Coordinates of all heavy atoms in Angstrom, one line a residue:
M510 N -30.8 1.5 -19.3 CA -30.9 0.3 -18.5 C -30.0 0.4 -17.3 O -30.4 0.5 -16.1 CB -30.5 -0.9 -19.4 CG -31.7 -1.7 -19.8 SD -31.2 -3.3 -20.1 CE -31.9 -3.8 -21.6
S511 N -28.8 0.4 -17.6 CA -27.8 0.4 -16.4 C -27.3 1.8 -16.2 O -26.3 1.9 -15.5 CB -26.7 -0.6 -16.7 OG -26.0 -0.2 -17.9
I512 N -28.0 2.8 -16.8 CA -27.5 4.1 -16.6 C -27.5 4.5 -15.1 O -26.6 5.1 -14.5 CB -28.3 5.1 -17.4 CG1 -27.9 5.0 -18.9 CG2 -28.0 6.6 -16.9 CD1 -28.6 5.9 -19.8
D513 N -28.6 4.1 -14.5 CA -28.7 4.4 -13.1 C -27.6 3.8 -12.2 O -27.1 4.4 -11.3 CB -30.1 3.9 -12.5 CG -31.1 5.0 -12.7 OD1 -30.7 6.2 -12.9 OD2 -32.3 4.7 -12.5
Y514 N -27.2 2.6 -12.6 CA -26.2 1.9 -11.9 C -24.8 2.5 -12.2 O -24.0 2.7 -11.3 CB -26.2 0.4 -12.3 CG -25.1 -0.3 -11.7 CD1 -25.1 -0.7 -10.4 CD2 -24.0 -0.7 -12.5 CE1 -24.1 -1.4 -9.8 CE2 -23.0 -1.4 -11.9 CZ -23.0 -1.8 -10.6 OH -22.0 -2.5 -10.0
D515 N -24.7 2.9 -13.5 CA -23.4 3.3 -13.9 C -23.0 4.7 -13.3 O -21.9 5.0 -12.9 CB -23.3 3.4 -15.5 CG -21.9 3.4 -16.0 OD1 -21.1 2.7 -15.3 OD2 -21.6 4.1 -17.0
T516 N -24.0 5.5 -13.3 CA -23.7 6.9 -12.9 C -23.2 7.0 -11.4 O -22.1 7.6 -11.2 CB -25.0 7.8 -13.0 OG1 -25.4 7.7 -14.3 CG2 -24.7 9.2 -12.7
P517 N -23.9 6.4 -10.5 CA -23.4 6.5 -9.1 C -22.0 5.8 -9.0 O -21.1 6.3 -8.3 CB -24.4 5.8 -8.3 CG -25.3 5.0 -9.2 CD -25.2 5.7 -10.6
R518 N -21.8 4.8 -9.8 CA -20.6 4.0 -9.7 C -19.4 4.9 -10.1 O -18.3 5.0 -9.5 CB -20.6 2.8 -10.6 CG -19.4 1.9 -10.5 CD -19.7 0.6 -11.0 NE -18.4 -0.1 -11.1 CZ -17.8 -0.5 -12.3 NH1 -18.4 -0.2 -13.4 NH2 -16.7 -1.1 -12.3
K519 N -19.7 5.7 -11.2 CA -18.6 6.5 -11.7 C -18.2 7.6 -10.7 O -17.1 7.9 -10.4 CB -19.0 7.2 -13.0 CG -17.9 7.5 -14.0 CD -18.3 8.2 -15.2 CE -17.1 8.7 -15.9 NZ -17.5 9.8 -16.9
T520 N -19.3 8.1 -10.1 CA -19.0 9.1 -9.1 C -18.2 8.6 -7.9 O -17.3 9.2 -7.4 CB -20.4 9.6 -8.6 OG1 -21.2 9.9 -9.7 CG2 -20.2 10.9 -7.7
D521 N -18.5 7.4 -7.6 CA -17.8 6.7 -6.5 C -16.3 6.6 -6.9 O -15.5 6.9 -6.1 CB -18.4 5.3 -6.3 CG -18.8 5.1 -4.9 OD1 -17.9 4.8 -4.1 OD2 -19.9 5.3 -4.5
D522 N -16.1 6.1 -8.1 CA -14.7 6.0 -8.5 C -14.0 7.3 -8.4 O -12.8 7.4 -8.0 CB -14.6 5.4 -9.9 CG -14.8 3.9 -9.9 OD1 -14.9 3.3 -8.8 OD2 -14.9 3.3 -10.9
D523 N -14.7 8.3 -9.0 CA -14.1 9.6 -9.0 C -13.7 10.1 -7.5 O -12.6 10.6 -7.2 CB -15.0 10.7 -9.6 CG -14.8 10.8 -11.1 OD1 -13.7 10.2 -11.6 OD2 -15.6 11.4 -11.8
L524 N -14.6 9.9 -6.7 CA -14.4 10.3 -5.3 C -13.2 9.5 -4.7 O -12.3 10.1 -4.1 CB -15.6 9.9 -4.4 CG -16.6 11.1 -4.3 CD1 -17.9 10.6 -3.6 CD2 -16.0 12.2 -3.5
D525 N -13.2 8.2 -5.0 CA -12.1 7.4 -4.4 C -10.7 7.9 -4.9 O -9.8 8.2 -4.2 CB -12.3 6.0 -4.8 CG -12.7 5.1 -3.7 OD1 -12.5 5.6 -2.5 OD2 -13.2 4.1 -3.9
E526 N -10.6 8.0 -6.3 CA -9.4 8.4 -6.9 C -9.0 9.8 -6.3 O -7.8 10.1 -6.0 CB -9.5 8.5 -8.4 CG -9.2 7.2 -9.0 CD -9.4 7.2 -10.5 OE1 -9.0 8.2 -11.1 OE2 -9.9 6.2 -11.1
G527 N -10.0 10.7 -6.2 CA -9.7 12.0 -5.8 C -9.1 12.0 -4.4 O -8.0 12.6 -4.1
S528 N -9.7 11.2 -3.5 CA -9.2 11.2 -2.1 C -7.8 10.6 -2.1 O -6.9 11.1 -1.4 CB -10.2 10.5 -1.2 OG -10.3 9.2 -1.7
V529 N -7.6 9.6 -2.9 CA -6.3 8.9 -2.9 C -5.2 9.9 -3.4 O -4.1 10.0 -2.8 CB -6.3 7.6 -3.7 CG1 -4.9 7.1 -3.9 CG2 -7.2 6.6 -3.0
D530 N -5.6 10.5 -4.5 CA -4.6 11.5 -5.0 C -4.3 12.6 -4.0 O -3.1 12.9 -3.8 CB -5.2 12.1 -6.3 CG -4.9 11.3 -7.5 OD1 -4.1 10.4 -7.4 OD2 -5.5 11.6 -8.6
E531 N -5.3 13.0 -3.4 CA -5.1 14.1 -2.4 C -4.1 13.6 -1.3 O -3.2 14.2 -0.8 CB -6.4 14.5 -1.8 CG -6.4 15.9 -1.1 CD -7.7 16.1 -0.4 OE1 -8.7 15.9 -1.1 OE2 -7.6 16.5 0.7
F532 N -4.4 12.4 -0.9 CA -3.6 11.7 0.2 C -2.1 11.6 -0.3 O -1.2 12.0 0.5 CB -4.2 10.3 0.4 CG -3.5 9.6 1.6 CD1 -3.7 10.1 2.9 CD2 -2.7 8.5 1.4 CE1 -3.1 9.5 3.9 CE2 -2.1 7.9 2.4 CZ -2.3 8.4 3.7
K533 N -2.0 11.2 -1.5 CA -0.6 11.0 -2.0 C 0.1 12.4 -2.1 O 1.3 12.5 -1.7 CB -0.6 10.4 -3.4 CG -0.8 8.9 -3.4 CD -0.7 8.4 -4.8 CE -1.1 6.9 -4.9 NZ -1.3 6.5 -6.3
T534 N -0.7 13.4 -2.6 CA -0.1 14.7 -2.7 C 0.4 15.3 -1.4 O 1.4 15.8 -1.2 CB -1.1 15.6 -3.4 OG1 -1.6 15.0 -4.6 CG2 -0.4 17.0 -3.8
R535 N -0.5 15.1 -0.4 CA -0.2 15.6 0.9 C 1.0 15.0 1.5 O 1.8 15.6 2.2 CB -1.4 15.4 1.8 CG -2.4 16.6 1.6 CD -3.7 16.2 2.2 NE -3.6 16.2 3.6 CZ -4.7 15.7 4.4 NH1 -5.8 15.4 3.9 NH2 -4.5 15.7 5.7
R536 N 1.2 13.7 1.2 CA 2.3 13.0 1.8 C 3.5 13.0 0.9 O 4.6 12.4 1.2 CB 2.0 11.5 2.1 CG 0.8 11.5 3.1 CD 0.8 10.2 3.8 NE 2.1 9.9 4.4 CZ 2.3 9.0 5.3 NH1 1.3 8.1 5.6 NH2 3.4 8.8 5.9
G537 N 3.4 13.6 -0.3 CA 4.4 13.6 -1.3 C 4.5 12.3 -2.0 O 3.4 11.7 -2.2
D538 N 5.6 11.8 -2.3 CA 5.7 10.5 -3.0 C 5.2 9.4 -2.1 O 5.5 9.4 -0.9 CB 7.2 10.2 -3.3 CG 7.4 9.1 -4.2 OD1 7.0 8.0 -3.8 OD2 7.9 9.3 -5.3
P539 N 4.3 8.5 -2.7 CA 3.8 7.4 -1.8 C 4.9 6.6 -1.3 O 4.8 6.0 -0.2 CB 2.9 6.7 -2.8 CG 3.3 7.1 -4.2 CD 3.8 8.5 -4.0
N540 N 6.0 6.4 -2.0 CA 7.1 5.6 -1.5 C 7.8 6.3 -0.3 O 8.1 5.6 0.6 CB 8.1 5.4 -2.6 CG 7.6 4.3 -3.6 OD1 6.8 3.4 -3.2 ND2 8.0 4.3 -4.8
S541 N 7.9 7.6 -0.4 CA 8.6 8.3 0.7 C 7.7 8.2 1.9 O 8.3 8.1 3.0 CB 8.8 9.7 0.3 OG 7.7 10.5 0.6
G542 N 6.4 8.2 1.7 CA 5.6 8.0 2.9 C 5.8 6.7 3.6 O 5.9 6.6 4.8
R543 N 6.0 5.7 2.7 CA 6.3 4.3 3.3 C 7.6 4.3 4.0 O 7.7 3.8 5.1 CB 6.4 3.3 2.1 CG 5.1 2.5 2.1 CD 5.3 1.5 1.0 NE 4.6 0.3 1.2 CZ 4.6 -0.7 0.4 NH1 5.3 -0.7 -0.7 NH2 3.9 -1.8 0.6
V544 N 8.6 4.8 3.4 CA 9.9 4.9 4.0 C 9.9 5.6 5.3 O 10.5 5.2 6.3 CB 11.0 5.5 3.1 CG1 12.3 5.8 3.8 CG2 11.2 4.7 1.8
D545 N 9.1 6.7 5.3 CA 9.0 7.5 6.5 C 8.5 6.6 7.7 O 9.1 6.6 8.8 CB 8.0 8.6 6.3 CG 8.2 9.7 7.2 OD1 9.4 9.9 7.7 OD2 7.3 10.5 7.5
Q546 N 7.5 5.8 7.4 CA 6.9 4.9 8.4 C 8.0 3.9 8.9 O 8.2 3.7 10.1 CB 5.7 4.2 7.8 CG 4.5 4.3 8.8 CD 3.3 3.7 8.1 OE1 3.4 2.9 7.2 NE2 2.1 4.1 8.5
D547 N 8.6 3.3 7.9 CA 9.6 2.3 8.3 C 10.7 2.9 9.1 O 11.2 2.3 10.1 CB 10.2 1.7 7.0 CG 9.2 0.7 6.4 OD1 8.3 0.4 7.1 OD2 9.5 0.3 5.3
E548 N 11.1 4.1 8.8 CA 12.2 4.7 9.5 C 11.9 5.0 10.9 O 12.6 4.7 11.8 CB 12.6 6.0 8.8 CG 13.9 5.9 8.0 CD 14.2 7.2 7.2 OE1 13.4 8.2 7.4 OE2 15.1 7.1 6.4
S549 N 10.6 5.5 11.1 CA 10.2 5.8 12.5 C 10.2 4.5 13.3 O 10.5 4.4 14.5 CB 8.9 6.5 12.5 OG 7.9 5.7 12.0
E550 N 9.7 3.4 12.6 CA 9.7 2.1 13.3 C 11.1 1.7 13.7 O 11.4 1.2 14.7 CB 9.0 1.1 12.4 CG 7.5 0.9 12.8 CD 6.9 -0.1 11.8 OE1 7.4 -1.2 11.7 OE2 5.9 0.2 11.3
A551 N 12.0 1.8 12.7 CA 13.4 1.4 12.9 C 14.0 2.2 14.0 O 14.7 1.7 14.8 CB 14.2 1.5 11.6
A552 N 13.7 3.5 14.0 CA 14.3 4.3 15.0 C 13.8 3.9 16.4 O 14.6 3.8 17.4 CB 13.8 5.8 14.8
E553 N 12.6 3.5 16.5 CA 12.1 3.0 17.8 C 12.9 1.7 18.2 O 13.3 1.6 19.4 CB 10.6 2.6 17.7 CG 9.7 3.8 18.0 CD 8.3 3.5 17.9 OE1 7.9 2.4 18.4 OE2 7.5 4.2 17.2
L554 N 13.1 0.9 17.2 CA 13.9 -0.4 17.5 C 15.3 0.0 18.0 O 15.9 -0.6 18.8 CB 13.9 -1.3 16.3 CG 12.5 -2.0 16.0 CD1 12.6 -2.8 14.8 CD2 12.2 -2.9 17.2
F555 N 15.8 1.0 17.3 CA 17.2 1.3 17.6 C 17.3 2.0 19.0 O 18.3 1.8 19.7 CB 17.8 2.3 16.6 CG 18.4 1.7 15.5 CD1 17.9 1.7 14.2 CD2 19.6 0.9 15.7 CE1 18.5 1.1 13.1 CE2 20.2 0.3 14.6 CZ 19.7 0.4 13.3
E556 N 16.3 2.7 19.4 CA 16.4 3.4 20.7 C 16.3 2.4 21.8 O 16.9 2.6 22.9 CB 15.2 4.4 20.8 CG 15.6 5.7 20.2 CD 14.4 6.6 20.2 OE1 13.6 6.5 21.1 OE2 14.2 7.4 19.2
L557 N 15.6 1.3 21.6 CA 15.4 0.4 22.8 C 16.7 -0.2 23.3 O 17.0 0.0 24.5 CB 14.5 -0.7 22.3 CG 13.0 -0.5 22.6 CD1 12.2 -1.6 22.0 CD2 12.7 -0.3 24.0
P558 N 17.6 -0.8 22.5 CA 18.8 -1.3 23.0 C 19.7 -0.2 23.5 O 20.4 -0.4 24.5 CB 19.4 -2.1 21.8 CG 18.7 -1.7 20.6 CD 17.3 -1.1 21.1
G559 N 19.7 0.9 22.9 CA 20.5 2.0 23.3 C 20.1 2.5 24.7 O 21.0 2.7 25.5
A560 N 18.9 2.5 25.0 CA 18.4 2.9 26.3 C 18.8 1.9 27.4 O 19.1 2.2 28.5 CB 16.9 3.2 26.3
D561 N 18.7 0.7 27.0 CA 18.9 -0.4 28.0 C 20.3 -1.0 27.9 O 20.6 -2.1 28.3 CB 17.9 -1.5 27.8 CG 16.5 -1.1 28.1 OD1 16.4 -0.1 28.8 OD2 15.6 -1.7 27.6
L562 N 21.2 -0.2 27.3 CA 22.6 -0.8 27.0 C 23.2 -1.2 28.3 O 23.8 -2.3 28.4 CB 23.4 0.3 26.3 CG 24.7 -0.3 25.7 CD1 24.3 -1.3 24.6 CD2 25.5 0.8 25.1
S563 N 23.2 -0.4 29.3 CA 23.9 -0.7 30.6 C 23.3 -2.0 31.1 O 24.0 -2.9 31.6 CB 23.8 0.4 31.6 OG 22.5 0.7 31.8
E564 N 22.0 -2.0 31.1 CA 21.4 -3.2 31.7 C 21.8 -4.5 30.9 O 22.0 -5.5 31.4 CB 19.9 -3.0 31.7 CG 19.2 -3.9 32.7 CD 17.7 -3.7 32.6 OE1 17.3 -2.5 32.6 OE2 16.9 -4.6 32.7
E565 N 21.8 -4.3 29.6 CA 22.1 -5.4 28.7 C 23.5 -5.9 29.0 O 23.8 -7.1 29.1 CB 21.9 -5.0 27.3 CG 21.7 -6.2 26.4 CD 21.2 -5.8 25.0 OE1 20.1 -5.2 25.0 OE2 21.9 -6.0 24.1
E566 N 24.4 -4.9 29.1 CA 25.8 -5.3 29.4 C 25.9 -6.1 30.7 O 26.6 -7.1 30.7 CB 26.6 -4.0 29.5 CG 27.8 -3.9 28.6 CD 28.5 -2.6 28.7 OE1 27.9 -1.6 28.4 OE2 29.7 -2.6 29.1
L567 N 25.2 -5.6 31.6 CA 25.2 -6.3 32.9 C 24.7 -7.7 32.8 O 25.3 -8.7 33.3 CB 24.3 -5.5 33.9 CG 24.5 -5.8 35.4 CD1 25.8 -5.3 35.8 CD2 23.4 -5.2 36.2
T568 N 23.6 -7.9 32.0 CA 23.1 -9.2 31.8 C 24.1 -10.1 31.2 O 24.3 -11.2 31.6 CB 21.8 -9.1 31.0 OG1 20.9 -8.1 31.5 CG2 21.1 -10.5 30.9
V569 N 24.8 -9.6 30.2 CA 25.7 -10.4 29.5 C 26.9 -10.8 30.4 O 27.3 -11.9 30.4 CB 26.3 -9.6 28.3 CG1 27.5 -10.4 27.7 CG2 25.2 -9.4 27.3
R570 N 27.3 -9.9 31.3 CA 28.3 -10.2 32.2 C 27.9 -11.2 33.3 O 28.6 -12.1 33.6 CB 28.8 -8.9 32.9 CG 30.3 -8.8 33.0 CD 30.7 -7.5 33.7 NE 30.5 -6.4 32.8 CZ 30.2 -5.1 33.2 NH1 30.0 -4.9 34.5 NH2 30.1 -4.1 32.4
V571 N 26.7 -11.0 33.8 CA 26.2 -11.9 34.8 C 25.9 -13.3 34.3 O 26.1 -14.3 35.0 CB 25.0 -11.3 35.5 CG1 24.3 -12.3 36.5 CG2 25.3 -10.0 36.2
V572 N 25.4 -13.3 33.1 CA 25.1 -14.6 32.6 C 25.9 -14.9 31.3 O 25.5 -14.7 30.2 CB 23.6 -14.7 32.2 CG1 23.2 -16.1 31.8 CG2 22.7 -14.2 33.4
P573 N 27.1 -15.4 31.5 CA 27.9 -15.8 30.4 C 27.3 -17.1 29.8 O 26.5 -17.7 30.3 CB 29.3 -16.0 31.0 CG 29.0 -16.4 32.4 CD 27.7 -15.7 32.8
R574 N 27.9 -17.4 28.7 CA 27.4 -18.6 28.0 C 27.6 -19.8 29.0 O 28.7 -20.0 29.6 CB 28.2 -18.9 26.7 CG 27.4 -19.7 25.8 CD 28.3 -20.3 24.7 NE 29.2 -19.2 24.2 CZ 30.3 -19.5 23.6 NH1 30.7 -20.7 23.5 NH2 31.1 -18.5 23.2
Q575 N 26.6 -20.6 29.2 CA 26.7 -21.7 30.1 C 27.5 -22.8 29.4 O 27.7 -22.9 28.2 CB 25.3 -22.2 30.4 CG 24.3 -21.2 30.9 CD 24.8 -20.7 32.3 OE1 24.9 -21.5 33.2 NE2 25.1 -19.4 32.4
R576 N 28.0 -23.7 30.3 CA 28.9 -24.7 29.8 C 28.1 -25.7 28.9 O 28.7 -26.3 28.0 CB 29.4 -25.5 31.0 CG 30.6 -24.8 31.6 CD 31.0 -25.6 32.9 NE 32.1 -24.8 33.6 CZ 33.4 -24.9 33.3 NH1 33.7 -25.7 32.3 NH2 34.3 -24.2 33.9
D577 N 26.8 -25.8 29.2 CA 26.1 -26.7 28.4 C 25.4 -26.0 27.2 O 24.4 -26.4 26.6 CB 25.0 -27.5 29.2 CG 24.1 -26.5 29.9 OD1 24.3 -25.3 29.9 OD2 23.1 -27.0 30.5
E578 N 25.9 -24.8 26.9 CA 25.4 -24.1 25.8 C 26.5 -23.7 24.8 O 27.7 -23.8 25.1 CB 24.7 -22.8 26.3 CG 23.4 -23.0 27.0 CD 22.8 -21.7 27.5 OE1 23.6 -20.7 27.7 OE2 21.6 -21.7 27.8
F579 N 26.1 -23.4 23.6 CA 27.1 -23.0 22.6 C 26.5 -22.0 21.7 O 25.2 -21.9 21.6 CB 27.5 -24.2 21.7 CG 26.4 -24.7 20.8 CD1 26.3 -24.3 19.5 CD2 25.4 -25.6 21.3 CE1 25.3 -24.8 18.7 CE2 24.4 -26.0 20.5 CZ 24.3 -25.6 19.2
S580 N 27.3 -21.1 21.1 CA 26.7 -20.2 20.1 C 26.9 -20.8 18.8 O 28.0 -21.1 18.3 CB 27.3 -18.8 20.2 OG 28.5 -18.9 20.9
C581 N 25.8 -20.8 18.1 CA 25.8 -21.4 16.8 C 26.5 -20.5 15.8 O 26.3 -19.3 15.8 CB 24.3 -21.6 16.3 SG 24.2 -22.1 14.6
A582 N 27.4 -21.0 15.0 CA 28.1 -20.2 14.0 C 27.2 -19.9 12.8 O 27.6 -19.1 12.0 CB 29.3 -21.0 13.5
G583 N 26.1 -20.5 12.7 CA 25.2 -20.2 11.6 C 24.2 -19.1 11.9 O 24.1 -18.1 11.2
C584 N 23.5 -19.2 13.0 CA 22.5 -18.2 13.3 C 22.9 -17.3 14.5 O 22.2 -16.4 14.9 CB 21.1 -18.9 13.6 SG 21.2 -20.0 15.1
F585 N 24.1 -17.6 15.1 CA 24.6 -16.8 16.2 C 23.7 -16.8 17.4 O 23.9 -16.0 18.3 CB 24.9 -15.4 15.7 CG 25.8 -15.3 14.6 CD1 25.3 -15.0 13.3 CD2 27.1 -15.6 14.7 CE1 26.1 -15.0 12.2 CE2 28.0 -15.5 13.6 CZ 27.5 -15.2 12.4
L586 N 22.9 -17.8 17.5 CA 22.1 -17.9 18.7 C 22.8 -18.8 19.7 O 23.5 -19.7 19.3 CB 20.7 -18.5 18.4 CG 19.7 -17.6 17.7 CD1 18.5 -18.4 17.4 CD2 19.4 -16.4 18.5
V587 N 22.6 -18.5 21.0 CA 23.1 -19.4 22.0 C 22.1 -20.6 22.2 O 21.0 -20.3 22.6 CB 23.4 -18.7 23.3 CG1 23.8 -19.6 24.4 CG2 24.4 -17.6 23.1
C588 N 22.6 -21.7 21.9 CA 21.6 -22.9 22.0 C 22.1 -23.9 23.1 O 23.3 -23.9 23.4 CB 21.6 -23.6 20.7 SG 21.2 -22.5 19.3
H589 N 21.2 -24.6 23.5 CA 21.6 -25.7 24.5 C 22.4 -26.8 23.7 O 22.2 -26.9 22.5 CB 20.3 -26.3 25.1 CG 20.6 -27.2 26.2 ND1 20.7 -28.5 26.1 CD2 20.9 -26.9 27.5 CE1 21.0 -29.1 27.3 NE2 21.1 -28.1 28.2
R590 N 23.2 -27.4 24.5 CA 24.1 -28.4 23.8 C 23.2 -29.5 23.1 O 23.7 -30.2 22.2 CB 25.0 -29.1 24.8 CG 26.3 -29.4 24.2 CD 27.4 -29.6 25.3 NE 27.0 -30.7 26.2 CZ 27.8 -31.0 27.3 NH1 28.9 -30.3 27.5 NH2 27.5 -31.9 28.1
S591 N 22.0 -29.7 23.6 CA 21.2 -30.7 23.0 C 20.8 -30.3 21.6 O 20.4 -31.1 20.8 CB 19.9 -31.0 23.8 OG 19.2 -29.8 23.9
Q592 N 21.0 -29.0 21.3 CA 20.7 -28.6 19.9 C 21.9 -28.7 19.0 O 21.7 -28.5 17.8 CB 20.2 -27.1 20.0 CG 19.0 -26.8 20.8 CD 17.8 -27.3 20.2 OE1 17.5 -27.0 19.0 NE2 17.0 -28.1 20.9
L593 N 23.0 -29.0 19.6 CA 24.2 -29.1 18.8 C 24.1 -30.2 17.8 O 23.9 -31.4 18.2 CB 25.4 -29.3 19.7 CG 26.8 -29.5 19.0 CD1 27.1 -28.2 18.2 CD2 27.8 -29.7 20.0
A594 N 24.2 -29.9 16.5 CA 24.0 -31.0 15.5 C 25.3 -31.2 14.8 O 25.5 -32.3 14.2 CB 22.9 -30.6 14.6
E595 N 26.2 -30.2 14.7 CA 27.4 -30.4 13.9 C 28.5 -29.5 14.3 O 28.2 -28.4 14.8 CB 27.0 -30.1 12.4 CG 28.1 -30.5 11.4 CD 27.7 -30.2 10.0 OE1 26.5 -30.0 9.8 OE2 28.5 -30.3 9.1
Q596 N 29.7 -30.0 14.2 CA 30.9 -29.1 14.5 C 31.8 -29.2 13.4 O 32.3 -30.2 12.9 CB 31.6 -29.6 15.8 CG 30.9 -29.0 17.0 CD 31.6 -29.4 18.3 OE1 31.6 -30.6 18.6 NE2 32.2 -28.4 19.0
R597 N 32.1 -28.0 12.8 CA 33.1 -27.9 11.7 C 34.1 -26.8 12.0 O 33.7 -25.7 12.3 CB 32.3 -27.5 10.4 CG 31.8 -28.8 9.6 CD 31.1 -28.3 8.4 NE 29.7 -27.9 8.7 CZ 29.0 -27.0 8.0 NH1 29.5 -26.4 7.0 NH2 27.8 -26.7 8.4
D598 N 35.4 -27.1 11.8 CA 36.4 -26.1 12.0 C 36.3 -25.4 13.3 O 36.5 -24.2 13.4 CB 36.4 -25.1 10.8 CG 36.4 -25.8 9.5 OD1 37.1 -26.8 9.4 OD2 35.7 -25.3 8.6
G599 N 35.9 -26.2 14.3 CA 35.8 -25.6 15.7 C 34.6 -24.7 15.8 O 34.4 -24.0 16.8
R600 N 33.7 -24.8 14.9 CA 32.5 -24.0 15.0 C 31.3 -25.0 15.2 O 31.3 -26.0 14.6 CB 32.2 -23.2 13.7 CG 33.2 -22.1 13.5 CD 33.0 -21.4 12.2 NE 34.0 -20.4 11.9 CZ 33.9 -19.6 10.9 NH1 32.9 -19.6 10.1 NH2 34.8 -18.7 10.7
A601 N 30.4 -24.5 16.0 CA 29.3 -25.4 16.3 C 28.0 -24.9 15.6 O 27.9 -23.7 15.4 CB 29.0 -25.3 17.8
Y602 N 27.3 -25.8 15.1 CA 26.0 -25.4 14.4 C 24.8 -26.1 15.1 O 24.9 -27.3 15.4 CB 26.1 -25.9 13.0 CG 27.2 -25.1 12.2 CD1 28.5 -25.5 12.2 CD2 26.8 -24.0 11.5 CE1 29.4 -24.9 11.5 CE2 27.8 -23.3 10.7 CZ 29.1 -23.7 10.8 OH 30.0 -23.1 10.1
C603 N 23.8 -25.4 15.2 CA 22.6 -25.9 15.8 C 21.9 -26.8 14.8 O 22.2 -26.8 13.6 CB 21.7 -24.8 16.3 SG 20.8 -23.9 15.0
R604 N 20.8 -27.4 15.2 CA 20.1 -28.3 14.3 C 19.5 -27.5 13.2 O 19.5 -28.0 12.0 CB 18.9 -28.9 15.1 CG 19.4 -30.0 16.1 CD 18.2 -30.6 16.8 NE 18.6 -31.5 17.9 CZ 17.7 -32.0 18.7 NH1 16.4 -31.7 18.6 NH2 18.1 -32.8 19.7
D605 N 19.1 -26.3 13.4 CA 18.5 -25.6 12.3 C 19.5 -25.2 11.2 O 19.2 -25.2 10.1 CB 17.9 -24.2 12.9 CG 16.6 -24.5 13.6 OD1 16.0 -25.5 13.4 OD2 16.3 -23.6 14.4
C606 N 20.8 -25.0 11.6 CA 21.8 -24.6 10.7 C 22.6 -25.7 10.1 O 23.2 -25.6 9.1 CB 22.7 -23.6 11.4 SG 21.8 -22.1 11.9
A607 N 22.6 -26.8 10.8 CA 23.4 -27.9 10.3 C 22.9 -28.6 9.0 O 23.6 -28.9 8.1 CB 23.6 -29.0 11.4
G608 N 21.5 -28.7 9.0 CA 20.8 -29.4 8.0 C 21.4 -29.0 6.6 O 21.4 -29.8 5.7
Ligands
ZN10 ZN1 22.0 -22.0 14.2

């Protein structure tokens, strides 16, 4: 009855598993393959600030924190004073972090 259906299905599964296994074997541990990808992504992220370091330094020097801005002690973002929600021990917290 369902032999016709079962046979091709089994072949399909075999094919799938086989290709996946081959894939894993070629890349070694499947986890290492993942880490590899993450690492290359992280490396790209690391290279960006390194390459633009001088420019970034310049930007920081040219644009210091504005008087109407503060750096939040919670998220370390520079926020506008209108975002200031709380001050504790001389530290300012934005609305997101004060709650
Ligand atoms: Zn904050």
Side-chain angles (χ1 to χ4, degrees):
M510 256 208 225
S511 59
I512 286 182
D513 268 349
Y514 175 76
D515 201 36
T516 304
R518 184 165 170 247
K519 210 183 165 197
T520 312
D521 232 276
D522 280 352
D523 269 349
L524 266 175
D525 253 342
E526 271 177 42
S528 58
V529 170
D530 270 350
E531 200 187 314
F532 186 68
K533 279 183 192 169
T534 309
R535 275 164 69 187
R536 300 202 57 168
D538 191 298
N540 282 333
S541 89
R543 255 183 152 179
V544 170
D545 204 26
Q546 229 174 22
D547 283 349
E548 255 175 6
S549 63
E550 263 178 51
E553 274 179 44
L554 285 177
F555 269 115
E556 272 173 36
L557 271 177
D561 293 339
L562 194 63
S563 59
E564 201 179 317
E565 202 167 296
E566 234 176 300
L567 197 70
T568 308
V569 170
R570 221 178 287 149
V571 171
V572 187
R574 203 196 317 157
Q575 303 294 301
R576 280 174 186 274
D577 59 351
E578 288 177 339
F579 69 97
S580 18
C581 171
C584 62
F585 301 107
L586 288 178
V587 177
C588 307
H589 191 262
R590 213 161 62 183
S591 63
Q592 300 288 310
L593 177 60
E595 190 176 348
Q596 274 182 296
R597 268 180 279 152
D598 306 324
R600 293 175 184 190
Y602 293 86
C603 74
R604 285 181 190 173
D605 283 343
C606 298

